[in-house]
Amino acid sequence: PAPAETEGRIDRPASPSGKLLDLLSSVPVSADELARQAGMPVGQVHALLTEMEISGDIDRLPGGLIQRGAP
């Protein structure tokens, strides 16, 4: 399907990492819960989270919890 155009703006499907970032906030969540919310395989979520941690987009907390990185 073609991207939807809304008031001159084209909405493209979010990248998988963008989808995860949209679901994250300052409230910690487990990778399993994040995968469930995103509708993505857990293995893919873990791989994306590793990349996002390296780039500083997320923070990993004790107990395996994840939250959006501090700005």
Side-chain angles (χ1 to χ4, degrees):
E5 188 170 338
T6 308
E7 297 180 18
R9 193 187 87 203
I10 296 178
D11 291 328
R12 299 199 188 323
S15 68
S17 58
K19 186 175 185 178
L20 294 180
L21 272 177
D22 287 345
L23 292 170
L24 288 169
S25 69
S26 61
V27 178
V29 65
S30 70
D32 289 342
E33 176 61 20
L34 188 60
R36 187 192 65 74
Q37 290 178 11
M40 297 167 61
V42 174
Q44 181 184 12
V45 168
H46 278 284
L48 290 168
L49 290 174
T50 299
E51 293 173 10
M52 293 163 66
E53 182 179 18
I54 291 168
S55 67
D57 293 328
I58 65 161
D59 294 324
R60 288 197 192 250
L61 304 173
L65 298 177
I66 299 131
Q67 68 183 20
R68 186 169 253 216

